[in-house]
Amino acid sequence: MTLTAKSVARVSLVSTLVLAAAGAALLSASPASGAASTLGAAAQQSGRYFGTAVAANKLSDSTYTGILNREFDMVTAENEMKMDATEPNQGQFSYGNADRIVNQARNQGKRVRGHALAWHSQQPGWMQNMSGTALRNAMLNHVTQVASYYRGKIYAWDVVNEAFADGSSGGRRDSNLQRTGNDWIEAAFRAARAADPGAKLCYNDYNTDNWSHAKTQGVYRMVQDFKSRGVPIDCVGFQAHFNSGNPVPSNYHTTLQNFAALGVDVQITELDIEGSGSTQAQQYQGVTQACLAVARCTGITVWGIRDTDSWRASGTPLLFDGNGNKKAAYTSVLNVLNNGTGTTPPTTTTTTSNPGGGGCTATYSEGEKWNDRFNGLVTVSGTDNWIVTVTVSSPQRIIATWNTSASWESANVMTARPNGSGNTFGFTIMHGGNWNWPSVSCRVA
Ligand code: XIL
């Protein structure tokens, strides 16, 4: 069997930048695709939104409101729509602070994410002491009342928040609501659908970012079950509170993609990443790229405006500093949003002919980047029966693969074959300071 590679292209970072500059020059000639100067406008170019959490008591701060009005096109009430805020006494509803946020947003042409109808945390005192049927009915009444009050004004509701346990169980979190019966979540979703048929209904949680974590798998199985039984669910929210102990996983886009493949939208709902400078900026870039790489990732919300507004202020996890100045992380997010797809157009394409007729083409595209790693994607066309060789250059190492069955010819040369997941596969490269893209070549098996 003699198969000859016709061409193998290796593209360096320098030529990537040249390509990007050439692309930008072309784009600026076309008025329809000029770069946007705010997060919301930049996200809208790909049909997405960019939102923030808002606190009602900060709406009188003109620096805060100035950034809010300028940059964001989606708003979440940070605390004002939670159960303790909206039903402080049983059967007595209170919407003053939530309304201030909703009205301010709608007056400015922004949409609103509702957060959250049912949750084990931030329950009013009267509810914390309830159990059994009384609690189940009180919860359902709360969902119905609040969702009905805001009917027609909410883009998406976090119907249930944080119902899964951390750790290795993959099961539900113990709570008073969980003890009313395992069907409490679907009951809440059905009540929300009846109350506001126009709102997208989301399940929202944290520590569900890493595809290999048990909690992620547990939520995935629930959504799969809901879809198969017709329980009304439209979206899954990923809170995305990251720090050095809980960094952005390199398989993030896989997680988003796999949930989306269940037939739900995915949204990044409470993003913050502790850190500073270029390290923080790169992580923000990776998260934004992961969303843009998934068609059904409809938007990103950051959990506050300035670092000083954050619930984790000491970790300086947001896009604006305490004075309201744009941070490096802001610029990296804006640049990715302006890039539209989050992936650079295909560049390293190698075709290898097959003596038996036919052939195949392997196309490399950039995935997310972190300070120490980057992801690459390869899409094969021309055959379902391919063998792709991926060659990295020293000191790079491929540390993970997905959607392929991989073997190794040497430390630098990986052979990838189909594993039934389709014709796109990916991998993570520890770059060791070498940002060059790998070379790829394809042959028919
Ligand atoms: C946080 C708020 O930011 C704080 O102001 C409040 O004291 C506690 O709740 N997951 C969620 C959010 O779903 O509602 C939480 O918000 C952060 C974690």
Side-chain angles (χ1 to χ4, degrees):
M1 191 165 65
T2 46
L3 301 168
T4 315
K6 278 191 179 148
S7 64
V8 176
R10 176 170 292 162
V11 178
S12 70
L13 182 62
V14 174
S15 48
T16 309
L17 292 174
V18 171
L19 284 174
L26 283 175
L27 287 178
S28 62
S30 140
S33 15
S37 61
T38 66
L39 299 168
Q44 284 169 22
Q45 295 172 117
S46 66
R48 293 178 173 84
Y49 64 82
F50 205 97
T52 183
V54 168
N57 64 6
K58 292 185 178 145
L59 290 174
S60 54
D61 174 336
S62 60
T63 305
Y64 181 88
T65 316
I67 300 171
L68 168 62
N69 291 347
R70 185 184 77 221
E71 295 287 343
F72 300 98
D73 62 350
M74 184 73 75
V75 159
T76 305
E78 185 172 359
N79 289 295
E80 293 78 352
M81 286 191 187
K82 293 173 182 175
M83 300 178 102
D84 57 351
T86 48
E87 195 177 357
N89 300 300
Q90 187 170 14
Q92 186 190 73
F93 291 84
S94 163
Y95 297 110
N97 285 330
D99 281 348
R100 288 170 62 202
I101 293 173
V102 171
N103 293 337
Q104 204 274 349
R106 288 169 58 83
N107 286 341
Q108 293 280 329
K110 305 178 196 307
R111 292 182 292 171
V112 178
R113 289 192 86 265
H115 174 80
L117 291 172
W119 189 18
H120 69 274
S121 183
Q122 292 182 265
Q123 291 182 357
W126 61 266
M127 184 179 271
Q128 294 173 26
N129 298 323
M130 289 178 92
S131 62
T133 308
L135 174 59
R136 172 67 70 93
N137 289 338
M139 180 275 286
L140 292 175
N141 182 57
H142 180 87
V143 170
T144 299
Q145 294 293 327
V146 177
S148 298
Y149 180 83
Y150 284 111
R151 179 182 357 217
K153 295 183 173 174
I154 302 294
Y155 162 71
W157 266 113
D158 291 332
V159 178
V160 169
N161 197 30
E162 301 183 352
F164 277 72
D166 293 312
S168 58
S169 80
R172 298 284 181 86
R173 169 196 298 277
D174 180 51
S175 72
N176 59 349
L177 291 168
Q178 180 62 28
R179 290 191 291 271
T180 70
N182 207 49
D183 62 345
W184 75 276
I185 298 181
E186 60 195 83
F189 274 83
R190 292 188 202 281
R193 179 68 99 224
D196 186 356
K200 289 182 185 288
L201 305 183
C202 301
Y203 176 78
N204 192 54
D205 214 329
Y206 67 94
N207 277 355
T208 48
D209 311 288
N210 191 319
W211 178 242
S212 62
H213 283 181
K215 186 171 176 181
T216 310
Q217 295 294 315
V219 174
Y220 179 85
R221 283 191 298 271
M222 179 187 75
V223 176
Q224 191 173 41
D225 171 55
F226 280 12
K227 294 300 285 185
S228 73
R229 290 190 295 112
V231 177
I233 183 167
D234 307 301
C235 38
V236 175
F238 297 82
Q239 291 186 11
H241 298 293
F242 295 114
N243 55 36
S244 56
N246 176 35
V248 182
S250 50
N251 61 20
Y252 202 25
H253 73 284
T254 304
T255 305
L256 299 179
Q257 184 65 62
N258 287 346
F259 274 90
L262 291 175
V264 289
D265 290 344
V266 294
Q267 299 165 2
I268 294 170
T269 52
E270 305 181 12
L271 177 61
D272 50 23
I273 307 176
E274 294 185 32
S276 62
S278 61
T279 306
Q280 181 181 49
Q282 277 165 337
Q283 300 225 358
Y284 264 103
Q285 174 179 319
V287 172
T288 309
Q289 286 175 327
C291 180
L292 291 188
V294 175
R296 289 197 77 157
C297 183
T298 57
I300 298 174
T301 295
V302 286
W303 205 240
I305 296 179
R306 300 163 299 194
D307 284 335
T308 44
D309 300 318
S310 169
W311 70 313
R312 292 176 165 178
S314 65
T316 61
L318 294 173
L319 300 178
F320 295 87
D321 69 19
N323 295 320
N325 298 314
K326 298 169 180 174
K327 295 166 59 181
Y330 171 96
T331 306
S332 70
V333 170
L334 184 69
N335 287 345
V336 175
L337 293 172
N338 272 323
N339 188 26
T341 62
T343 51
T344 306
T347 47
T348 67
T349 301
T350 303
T351 308
T352 305
S353 65
N354 178 25
C360 57
T361 303
T363 302
Y364 178 83
S365 54
E366 270 193 321
E368 299 94 312
K369 292 181 203 144
W370 293 267
N371 51 332
D372 59 345
R373 292 159 289 159
F374 63 89
N375 285 350
L377 296 173
V378 171
T379 300
V380 181
S381 60
T383 177
D384 291 335
N385 201 11
W386 41 266
I387 300 175
V388 170
T389 303
V390 178
T391 306
V392 300
S393 48
S394 176
Q396 294 174 336
R397 272 185 306 121
I398 297 179
I399 58 160
T401 64
W402 55 93
N403 293 348
T404 184
S405 135
S407 59
W408 303 90
E409 287 173 32
S410 69
N412 287 347
V413 182
M414 175 179 83
T415 304
R417 296 167 192 267
N419 74 348
S421 308
N423 287 339
T424 296
F425 65 93
F427 42 87
T428 301
I429 296 175
M430 292 296 292
H431 58 68
N434 174 359
W435 287 90
N436 285 350
W437 290 0
S439 60
V440 296
S441 66
C442 183
R443 60 196 162 95
V444 179

